[in-house]
């Protein structure tokens, strides 16, 4: 089957300098079955810096994601016209911390230009993004407490209708392992993860198989095959594939590996979203 990539970032994400025109050009050259640009939009930093308290500012690295969202969506909408008939280009957004500002999330959900919303959790309430945490200063008990708070917040997210798929559901492990070789056993959270997946399945929502861990030293996708299988066991039907690229060169990276995980977990088709509705492509 043709590859797809439903999680990519351009210069409209604060941590990416990938030129949006080059990204779309390469996606068309690769002949992707579906290509979604999903620039970051962190709900808990939706407003300008002046909106937040000093304590809140200490936990945030960037502000005014409302402007980033508008700039990304406007650019993708224009490129959809340019590439009509040449590429199945989708206007997406990676919507972070949805429950930390649901009004911002509702504004994004109400935008008719948006095809696809990834619901991600990059930082739990009262903490920095997992990227910035110094795990060597934490005890294992503190790390497990942090992980429990993460999965409980994802559980609450899974009960809402403010997204289409949950992004990189084991993102919380990425930097612990990559930078410090700290590898907590998350099987202790399997019950709540199963409940998350049951909620998603019952609400017609899905999960992403995020392939970034395969090229960034983590050694696996987010989530791993075990949890993609668990999603299937809980009745899940919707899985998307995303590279989480922040450079042009990483677009569709390891997409075939992600498809292999979906197949091994028992899925016969992959999904992409257009106008917030899932469309399916058979895995061959």
């Amino acid at each position: 089957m043709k590859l797809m990539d439903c999680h990519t970032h351009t210069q409209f994400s604060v941590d990416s300098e990938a030129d949006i025109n080059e990204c779309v050009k390469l996606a068309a050259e690769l002949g992707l079955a579906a290509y979604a640009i999903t620039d970051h939009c962190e709900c808990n930093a939706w407003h300008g810096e002046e909106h937040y308290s000093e304590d809140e500012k200490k936990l945030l690295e960037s502000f005014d994601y409302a402007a980033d969202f508008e700039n990304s969506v406007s650019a993708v909408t224009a490129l959809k016209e340019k590439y009509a008939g040449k590429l199945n280009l989708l206007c997406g957004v990676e919507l972070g911390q949805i429950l930390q500002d649901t009004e911002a999330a509702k504004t994004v959900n109400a935008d008719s230009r948006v095809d696809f919303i990834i619901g991600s959790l990059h930082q739990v309430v009262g903490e920095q993004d997992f990227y910035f945490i110094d795990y060597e200063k934490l005890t294992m008990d503190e790390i497990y407490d942090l992980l429990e708070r993460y999965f409980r917040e994802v559980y609450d997210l899974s009960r809402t209708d403010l997204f289409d798929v949950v992004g990189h559901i084991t993102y919380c492990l990425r930097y612990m392992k990559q930078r410090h070789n700290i590898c907590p056993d998350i099987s202790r959270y399997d019950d709540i993860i199963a409940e998350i997946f049951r909620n998603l399945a019952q609400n017609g929502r899905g999960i992403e198989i995020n392939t970034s861990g395969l090229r960034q030293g983590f050694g696996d996708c987010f989530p791993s095959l075990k949890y993609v299988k668990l999603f299937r066991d809980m009745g899940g039907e919707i899985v998307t594939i995303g590279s989480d690229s922040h450079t042009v060169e990483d677009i569709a990276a390891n997409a075939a590996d992600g498809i292999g995980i979906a197949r091994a977990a028992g899925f016969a088709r992959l999904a992409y979203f257009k106008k917030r509705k899932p469309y399916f492509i058979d895995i061959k």
Side-chain angles (χ1 to χ4, degrees), residues 197-216:
F197 289 162
R198 183 177 286 110
N199 288 341
L200 296 175
Q202 290 177 347
N203 294 332
R205 284 166 176 79
I207 64 169
E208 169 196 48
I209 300 175
N210 185 302
T211 66
S212 63
L214 293 174
R215 69 178 187 275
Q216 293 178 349

Side-chain angles (χ1 to χ4, degrees), residues 203-256:
N203 294 332
R205 284 166 176 79
I207 64 169
E208 169 196 48
I209 300 175
N210 185 302
T211 66
S212 63
L214 293 174
R215 69 178 187 275
Q216 293 178 349
F218 184 82
D220 209 338
C221 289
F222 304 108
S224 64
L225 173 59
K226 169 186 173 179
Y227 290 103
V228 180
K229 284 182 176 178
L230 180 59
F231 178 58
R232 181 66 173 166
D233 290 343
M234 293 298 103
E237 296 182 354
I238 295 173
V239 288
T240 62
I241 304 292
S243 69
D244 205 349
S245 66
H246 288 69
T247 66
V248 177
E249 294 77 15
D250 282 339
I251 290 172
N254 297 106

Side-chain angles (χ1 to χ4, degrees), residues 37-227:
I37 292 175
T38 55
D39 284 311
H40 286 295
C41 181
E42 308 297 273
C43 292
N44 59 326
W46 174 259
H47 302 283
E49 185 174 357
E50 69 283 352
H51 176 83
Y52 300 98
S53 69
E54 291 304 314
D55 286 341
E56 289 172 324
K57 290 177 186 178
K58 293 176 182 177
L59 302 177
L60 302 173
E61 297 298 318
S62 302
F63 303 89
D64 199 14
Y65 278 92
D68 291 346
F69 170 71
E70 178 57 38
N71 289 335
S72 177
V73 171
S74 295
V76 177
T77 300
L79 284 167
K80 286 175 75 171
E81 293 185 15
K82 180 179 178 179
Y83 280 82
K86 302 175 184 177
L87 174 66
N88 185 18
L89 177 59
L90 309 170
C91 183
V93 57
E94 184 179 10
L95 198 57
Q97 293 74 256
I98 286 173
L99 298 181
Q100 297 178 34
D101 188 339
T102 54
E103 291 307 310
K106 289 176 182 177
T107 297
V108 171
N109 273 260
D111 195 312
S112 62
R113 297 170 296 176
V114 174
D115 290 304
F116 175 51
I117 297 177
I118 301 172
S120 292
L121 183 61
H122 298 122
Q123 61 185 118
V124 299
V125 172
E127 302 289 346
Q128 288 183 294
D129 189 307
F130 283 95
Y131 178 88
F132 296 105
I133 295 173
D134 186 350
Y135 299 101
E136 290 189 344
K137 292 183 178 180
L138 301 180
T139 67
M140 286 307 298
D141 284 344
E142 289 172 327
I143 286 174
Y144 279 119
D145 176 71
L146 180 63
L147 293 173
E148 181 170 352
R149 291 161 61 195
Y150 171 82
F151 286 115
R152 291 198 177 281
E153 198 165 336
V154 175
Y155 171 81
D156 291 339
L157 172 65
S158 73
R159 301 177 69 187
T160 77
D161 60 357
L162 296 172
F163 64 96
D164 299 310
V165 304
V166 172
H168 48 45
I169 198 166
T170 47
Y171 168 83
C172 53
L173 303 176
R174 175 186 278 173
Y175 305 108
M176 296 181 192
K177 181 176 180 180
Q178 286 179 196
R179 296 176 184 165
H180 308 291
N181 199 32
I182 296 172
C183 304
D185 178 11
I186 64 168
S187 65
R188 62 173 66 190
Y189 309 111
D190 282 0
D191 287 347
I192 191 169
I193 294 172
E195 289 302 314
I196 290 168
F197 289 162
R198 183 177 286 110
N199 288 341
L200 296 175
Q202 290 177 347
N203 294 332
R205 284 166 176 79
I207 64 169
E208 169 196 48
I209 300 175
N210 185 302
T211 66
S212 63
L214 293 174
R215 69 178 187 275
Q216 293 178 349
F218 184 82
D220 209 338
C221 289
F222 304 108
S224 64
L225 173 59
K226 169 186 173 179
Y227 290 103

